[in-house]
Amino acid sequence: MPSEEQVFEAEVLRVARALFGKSNPFQGSQSVHGRERDGIFESPDAVVLIECTVSGRKDKAVSDGLKLARLCEQYGRTHPLKLIKGYFVTRDEPSSEQRGAIQRLKAPVVACSLKQLRAQLIDSQEYISLRPNYAFGSARHPVTGKLNPDEQYVSLEFAAMESSRLWSARDIVDGLNDGRCIVLTGDYGAGKSMTVREVFRDLSRRHHRGEFKFPIALNLRDHQGQRDPEEALDRHAKKIGFGNGSQLVRAWLAGDAHLLLDGFDEIATPGWLGKANGWKDVRRLSTTLVRKFIEYTPAASGVFITGRTHFFDSLAEARSSLGLPSDASMLSTSDFNDEQIKLYLTRNQWSEQLPSWLPSRPLLLGYLVVSGLLKEALDVSGASSAALGWDVLLDKICEREARNSDQPLIDGPTIRLLIERLATMARVRLDGMGPLSPSDMTAAFESVTGGPPDEGSQQILQRLPGLGVQDESDGSRHFIDAALADAARAGDIVRWVSDYQGNREAPRLRGTATVMEQLGIDVATRKLQESGVKASQAGAAAALCQRDGASDAVLLDVIQVGMALGEFKTQAQLAVSDLLIPQLTVGPETDLSEVTFSDCVIQLLDLTDYDGDIPMPSFARCSFGLVEGVASASALPSERFSDCDFEQFDLAARTTQGILGMLSLNPSQRVALTILKKLYAQRGTGRRENALYRGLDDKHRNLVPSVLDSLVSSGLAVRAKQVSTKIVLPSRGQGVRVKRLLEAPTQSQEGFFIEL
């Protein structure tokens, strides 16, 4: 075990090498005339001599100072054209007696602490004081887009993707101090940037208390097109007003800093190459900067990286594209649970009851609180499904905005139509959220109202609810929450399906690149059901989508809405290609045999209700992330899958048949697991109640009502209604609890489960 003085001397030499040993990094301690010298560093222009001590005594400064003075004189004679400098380095601040002893030598020797010596690498305290003056990613005031430094962090739990461990922000800090590489993924507005800010603050506090490493935090959106870490650090220094970018580079390479890189998905190269493999190449190319940062970061320094959950097709691609070491930790965020929502609202002086569907994403919740819209949201607390809740919430938000406007011709429905149009326009962007330029905003206004905005209407455009400031310099906006944007996207799809023969929506639907997710599908389905639209009409609309040149993303939206409306069958051969599809469900009430998917990336193929007889679409050259409901490719009809690759299948024990075969569980427990799997083990906003019976034999079917009652009473499921359809929803904030239950059902300590 090295002594305290040995550890100190090693750290002094490490810093000295970074400062003075660039031309020869192997310099350090040397023996001169038979006497050991703590450090000698010679460069083409200078010679630096070092003595270091943990002692605060005057006599130590006198003896070491004399050694340095004599050595400086000696090197001055042998190297007359070089600068000669000596450093007497102490662990703590040198005492006044020690400084006086060094000054009285009248030699080129200075007394300094290790902290002062390290400051020649970089003034870390100045960087730490400047960095909070520049936004941490999307951690801004949710309405104005300005910095919001006083907002308190609500502690989140992060689930390890490859184990059952839960992490906190403090665990991330501890991991960085151990030299770990940690990746945190989550949807937009889930708190990633706030977590980066919290990790930065914690590391800064520890640095103030004496830990030598300090945090460097970059918003990767500022570095689009950059591939060189030195250039990125130099640009970062200029962004925050830090004088010397080379100091950041030097400190990073010397191992004096931890790196915090926020938004690996925000440096992506725009464009789609037309093939699934080509898209992977685009993602790999766009993350070159991150890979180089990881490659060149010293082993003892930590790297913390954040980005969107579904940017990569799989964990394997994420690890490869980011260049992660084998021991890197992959974490995922979740929305606020009920306790965290309560804490967040309490801090914002709110204590009233909340509707069960209230959005739990931190950024949107903050918007509702700060803007005063939360009280409006409580008017829809009776809405029992997410689709109904979001539909009414959009109405309430837009009605409120219209009341606050002095433009009498712009009412709530017009503002909602405007938001829906912008949500459609945002779908041509990489992530479907924006940015939306001022010209985009004007074009949307003209398409909705038939004329350009006047001065008053421009003010409405600037403060549209649900849109945040993307860039203060150019006035661009983006949607602050993926769920809000998805619910708004349903509007143009509803208008298309309802009046597809009128063909008014076709031109603006041609550039769409991103598909609607489950919430948008549910909102569109609910509104179409209210209007009496049947699945057959959606089938006809899908055929016209293809005929009139609407994008494949919109075609898939119409197909999925038709599937949700009931017994759906296509009325023509349909082709969908070159899409990133978060989730595709094939169920017993659909006939997709005339649909072909080619060159698509399908992150989740849900075959939970597949029994081998359901008409299956055809897939050509598609890449699948996870296939739910079957345990291997042999369970799939080979004639429907051509030249496809699969990342992962359901574990045999987690398919419906696998769960029903768990003899260590009683029948009610098996049924409970099948229901929880359908509700939680996939993305979505719920399942139809009759879907919970599928895949079960008569004995287990009879148990579904009583088991479902138990799940509802235990807080793991919520019954709801969408128009005339009974649905069952997962309970907010219970994902981690259910994940543990599904992974180890026989070891579960859940009381309700044991009692079933």
Side-chain angles (χ1 to χ4, degrees), residues 127-128 130-140 147-149 192-201 204 215-219 221 236 260 262:
Y127 175 82
I128 287 173
L130 288 172
R131 180 59 183 86
N133 298 329
Y134 188 74
F136 287 83
S138 60
R140 298 170 176 263
L147 291 177
N148 193 20
K192 300 187 299 298
S193 294
M194 285 291 290
T195 300
V196 170
R197 192 185 77 173
E198 181 66 14
V199 169
F200 178 89
R201 288 178 171 180
S204 298
I216 298 175
L218 279 70
N219 299 332
R221 72 167 61 165
H236 173 65
L260 315 181
D262 187 16

Side-chain angles (χ1 to χ4, degrees), residues 401-480:
E401 191 64 27
R403 288 197 304 270
N404 293 338
S405 168
D406 58 0
Q407 299 293 302
L409 298 181
I410 300 181
D411 56 9
T414 301
I415 292 176
R416 173 161 180 171
L417 184 57
L418 182 56
I419 292 172
E420 291 174 341
R421 187 59 37 79
L422 287 168
T424 294
M425 294 172 67
R427 296 178 71 181
V428 306
R429 306 297 193 260
L430 193 63
D431 62 359
M433 303 288 286
L436 294 160
S437 67
S439 61
D440 291 330
M441 308 283 282
T442 299
F445 187 90
E446 291 178 348
S447 73
V448 167
T449 66
D454 57 19
E455 184 175 343
S457 301
Q458 286 283 8
Q459 291 298 316
I460 292 178
L461 288 175
Q462 292 299 307
R463 62 170 190 264
L464 276 176
L467 294 174
V469 177
Q470 172 83 12
D471 190 331
E472 294 178 41
S473 64
D474 65 7
S476 62
R477 297 290 191 269
H478 64 167
F479 282 90
I480 67 170

